Amino acid sequence: MITTDRAAAAATAIATTTAGLAQVTEPRARFRDVVAAEWIKLWSLRSNTWAFVIGALAVIGFNVGTAWDTYRYWTAQDAGSRADFVRDGIPLSIAFTENAAMVLMLALSAIGATAIVGEYRTGMIRMTFTAVPARRSVMAAKVCVVTAVTTVFGAVVAVASFGLTQAVLSGRHIGVPIDHPGALRVVVASALLAPVSALLGMALGTLIRHSAATMTASVVILLLLPLAFSADRHWAAVAGHALPAGAWTRLVDVDQQQVAYPWTLTGAWTVYVVWALATAAVAVTSVQRRDQ
């Protein structure tokens, strides 16, 4: 009996020591290590690099192309249109056009969705959650990496678009500097549209987990819903203002066009913040209780 008790005590001591050694040899992953892993995964896919490059060229190309058309056909404008060109804020509307904003939203939502949908499609998400069981930490790291990268991307594209378009327009002496009233707001609003769109794509990808369905949902929210809400009715105008595209439109509207139900700049910035926080929260929390 005494021998058995001693053996049990020894076995318990060995198990405790082994567990302690396991904890020492296999420390819990630190958040910065998870962020570093997500950074590597983002850039390990060559398609992501090409997506950023092609997206940037497309957005800048739309803007510069519009500026070049204005430069080329400037002599066809009547005297009244020439005189009111800068006053009406047209150089700033050319700095980042609606077509360019549409391309930016679609491209960045696709990149954000790919960051999570690709892992579900290949099954890599299982290995990720096995290595780091704290799922929310993994998704929080994804959110941090995608937000940082797409914010830098948006800033580069917006600044390049502004500089190049105004350089083209300056050939007709109608370009404006960055300190022109409303110019900085146009650049910042266009730059931040990138991470908002990417986080939306990531949130939808986390919920839907299928590429085609995720992209369809992104198109509906970013492009089709703004067209469905008429500005002639109060509830529809409020719904349109609450969408990312509606907020961007208000922020780049430097000449303050008269509408039936106007939206404030503070309200538009608030829409950006709410969409970013809400989509990030969905992406982080929705994986906690859901497997593939």
Side-chain angles (χ1 to χ4, degrees):
M1 183 67 178
I2 296 175
T3 303
T4 304
D5 291 341
R6 288 179 177 176
T12 303
I14 292 173
T16 303
T17 303
T18 303
L21 290 174
Q23 290 178 355
V24 172
T25 56
E26 297 181 6
R28 183 177 180 180
R30 296 171 297 183
F31 184 72
R32 65 181 182 182
D33 296 328
V34 181
V35 170
E38 293 302 325
W39 174 271
I40 294 173
K41 283 195 289 185
L42 178 67
W43 295 112
S44 62
L45 292 177
R46 186 176 299 179
S47 59
N48 284 339
T49 302
W50 281 109
F52 280 115
V53 172
I54 294 173
L57 292 177
V59 172
I60 296 173
F62 268 108
N63 295 326
V64 175
T66 303
W68 173 251
D69 283 343
T70 303
Y71 174 88
R72 183 179 180 183
Y73 297 105
W74 177 250
T75 56
Q77 299 288 334
D78 58 76
S81 298
R82 294 184 187 183
D84 298 336
F85 191 84
V86 176
R87 188 198 64 184
D88 293 341
I90 300 178
L92 295 182
S93 67
I94 294 175
F96 213 96
T97 63
E98 291 185 3
N99 289 335
M102 291 172 57
V103 173
L104 179 70
M105 288 188 289
L106 289 179
L108 271 295
S109 63
I111 291 172
T114 303
I116 182 64
V117 174
E119 287 201 55
Y120 278 106
R121 185 178 64 250
T122 60
M124 185 182 293
I125 196 69
R126 296 192 188 97
M127 292 183 289
T128 300
F129 288 153
T130 299
V132 185
R135 299 186 176 190
R136 291 181 178 176
S137 296
V138 173
M139 294 306 299
K142 285 184 181 293
V143 167
C144 291
V145 170
V146 170
T147 300
V149 172
T150 55
T151 299
V152 173
F153 172 85
V156 170
V157 170
V159 171
S161 293
F162 181 86
L164 291 174
T165 54
Q166 302 313 303
V168 172
L169 296 177
S170 294
R172 299 293 187 183
H173 306 289
I174 52 176
V176 297
I178 191 63
D179 58 354
H180 186 80
L184 185 59
R185 188 174 77 238
V186 170
V187 173
V188 174
S190 301
L192 293 181
L193 186 62
V196 171
S197 302
L199 289 174
L200 173 62
M202 177 178 285
L204 292 174
T206 306
L207 294 174
I208 301 173
R209 303 182 181 183
H210 294 283
S211 299
T214 299
M215 287 310 304
T216 300
S218 297
V219 171
V220 170
I221 295 175
L222 293 173
L223 301 185
L224 298 184
L225 280 182
L227 300 177
F229 296 116
S230 172
D232 297 332
R233 297 185 179 182
H234 182 265
W235 70 270
V238 171
H241 293 321
L243 295 172
W248 175 82
T249 300
R250 174 61 187 93
L251 291 170
V252 300
D253 181 20
V254 295
D255 59 342
Q256 298 182 354
Q257 297 180 4
Q258 297 297 322
V259 295
Y261 302 100
W263 194 239
T264 64
L265 291 175
T266 302
W269 287 121
T270 303
V271 170
Y272 266 28
V273 173
V274 170
W275 273 95
L277 294 179
T279 51
V282 169
V284 170
T285 60
S286 61
V287 298
Q288 187 65 21
R289 296 177 179 270
R290 290 186 61 192
D291 294 319
Q292 291 209 188

